[in-house]
Amino acid sequence: MENKKEMRNWLEAFNLTHPLVIAGPCSAETEEQVLKIAHELKDSDVSVFRAGIWKPRTRPGGFEGVGEIGLKWLKKAKAETGLLMGTEVATAAHCKLALENDIDVLWVGARTTANPFAVQEIADTLKGTDKIVLIKNPVNPDLALWLGGVERLHMAGIEKLGVIHRGFSTYEKTKYRNIPEWQIAIELQNKFPDLPLIIDPSHITGNRDMILEVTQEALDLNYDGMIIETHTDPDNAWSDAAQQVTPDALKQIFKDLRVRKQSDVSDEFMTKMSKLRANIDVLDANLLELLSKRMKVAVEIGQVKKEANVAVLQNNRWNEILGKMILEGEKKGLSEEFVLKMFKAIHQESINKQDKVLNS
């Protein structure tokens, strides 16, 4: 699959003066609930109303969606408000029912993206459709798997494609429900700059109070739109209550968001950027030089361990370094998340170097 300007045609057809907005409840609960939320979002920046009809749950016993009947509610909401309708599909049966009920936007969820067999089944069922089809990143941080899903849909002749960044699962406790791993989405942007990229701050944060912060960060990275879970009574929602915002809160988010220009060609801007980027280049070169020197010391440590027949991994020492660096990082304005990632990568490279020494 090659990047083409035509990838953006479906998005440009909306003729928007702001980023694309997809919004609505995590789950369609009742006809009354669907229609009430849709009407509250009608005269806003929202272009597509979303609602989950089938809800994949981690464990059985939870609310798994109202099923096919909910599609009738979406159809009615479309007729009354003029909003396009969107929902998640995970099987061929879901796809057929969504098409029969004229759903405009379909997306493949994170759990489904992780299964190439399931994505292929969806691609085969939707072959040649003129509907908009979006694919969320897989639950695991695997860019190839994400792009593989897009490619399967592309090979099925689906032209209106886009991707949704909803974060990645982790065992680590962070402030996010699903850590963003922004660099993965940035790498996807670099490979396919014209493939529309949409942020899902609801699933990244799991917390309505962080929706604005993460959405703004995405817009600062030139994302094309957002999909935000919205409910008139979020605290009593049947699924994912903590991450849903009210329609009024959503409209306030629209007011608070700042859409940046992609660039500025003025002489003053270019001169300032040129100087700062030159400074960054020097600092980056110095970083690599320091890391190289650190790894040479790691190799020497490996040699000492080999002579004494001592294991490579020394957990007490590692935990001591990590705790110290987190504190030092905070003093220098570096987040704990960043320091952890950086030093884990450095530690892993040091282990690799020492392991080679011990086994040479």
Side-chain angles (χ1 to χ4, degrees), residues 285-299:
N286 290 340
L287 275 174
L288 287 176
E289 183 63 28
L290 282 172
L291 287 171
S292 175
K293 289 178 179 178
R294 190 190 192 285
M295 292 309 158
K296 287 176 182 176
V297 175
V299 169

Side-chain angles (χ1 to χ4, degrees), residues 26-242:
C26 174
S27 301
E29 299 167 0
T30 66
E31 180 177 344
E32 179 185 10
Q33 172 241 19
V34 167
L35 294 175
K36 183 177 181 181
I37 299 171
H39 277 282
E40 291 208 24
L41 297 179
K42 177 184 176 183
D43 296 316
S44 71
D45 287 352
V46 177
S47 296
V48 181
F49 180 85
R50 60 137 295 151
I53 301 301
W54 303 278
K55 301 299 299 180
R57 313 311 295 175
T58 302
R59 300 178 67 181
F63 174 61
E64 297 185 340
V66 296
E68 184 178 354
I69 186 64
L71 296 171
K72 310 298 181 186
W73 306 340
L74 295 187
K75 204 170 181 179
K76 187 172 182 180
K78 181 177 180 178
E80 291 187 8
T81 66
L83 290 169
L84 299 184
M85 295 290 131
T87 198
E88 178 178 335
V89 291
T91 67
H94 293 170
C95 294
K96 290 174 182 175
L97 288 169
L99 293 177
E100 287 172 8
N101 286 275
D102 198 28
I103 301 300
D104 305 282
V105 179
L106 311 175
W107 70 85
V108 180
R111 291 179 176 87
T112 309
T113 305
N115 182 349
F117 292 109
V119 177
Q120 189 60 56
E121 178 183 279
I122 289 170
D124 291 342
T125 308
L126 296 177
K127 188 172 183 178
T129 185
D130 64 349
K131 302 294 186 182
I132 297 168
V133 183
L134 309 173
I135 186 159
K136 288 193 173 186
N137 62 256
V139 289
N140 48 312
D142 188 334
L143 178 58
L145 194 57
W146 195 2
L147 285 175
V150 178
E151 289 167 341
R152 289 177 187 277
L153 296 168
H154 175 72
M155 290 174 66
I158 301 168
E159 296 182 355
K160 297 178 181 178
L161 290 172
V163 290
I164 299 174
H165 176 202
R166 52 80 75 190
F168 302 88
S169 297
T170 176
Y171 283 114
E172 297 176 17
K173 288 186 178 180
T174 74
K175 65 179 182 179
Y176 302 106
R177 177 181 178 185
N178 295 289
I179 54 175
E181 298 285 9
W182 295 104
Q183 73 280 4
I184 294 178
I186 290 170
E187 189 176 346
L188 184 146
Q189 273 185 316
N190 290 337
K191 290 177 181 291
F192 295 95
D194 290 302
L195 182 65
L197 175 59
I198 295 168
I199 189 71
D200 179 353
S202 303
H203 281 91
I204 285 177
T205 66
N207 179 351
R208 66 176 67 98
D209 295 332
M210 295 171 63
I211 298 292
L212 174 60
E213 171 193 337
V214 169
T215 306
Q216 184 63 67
E217 191 164 358
L219 294 185
D220 291 346
L221 294 170
N222 298 320
Y223 281 50
D224 298 292
M226 62 202 79
I227 178 168
I228 299 178
E229 294 187 350
T230 312
H231 197 293
T232 48
D233 185 13
D235 288 334
N236 291 304
W238 295 3
S239 58
D240 288 346

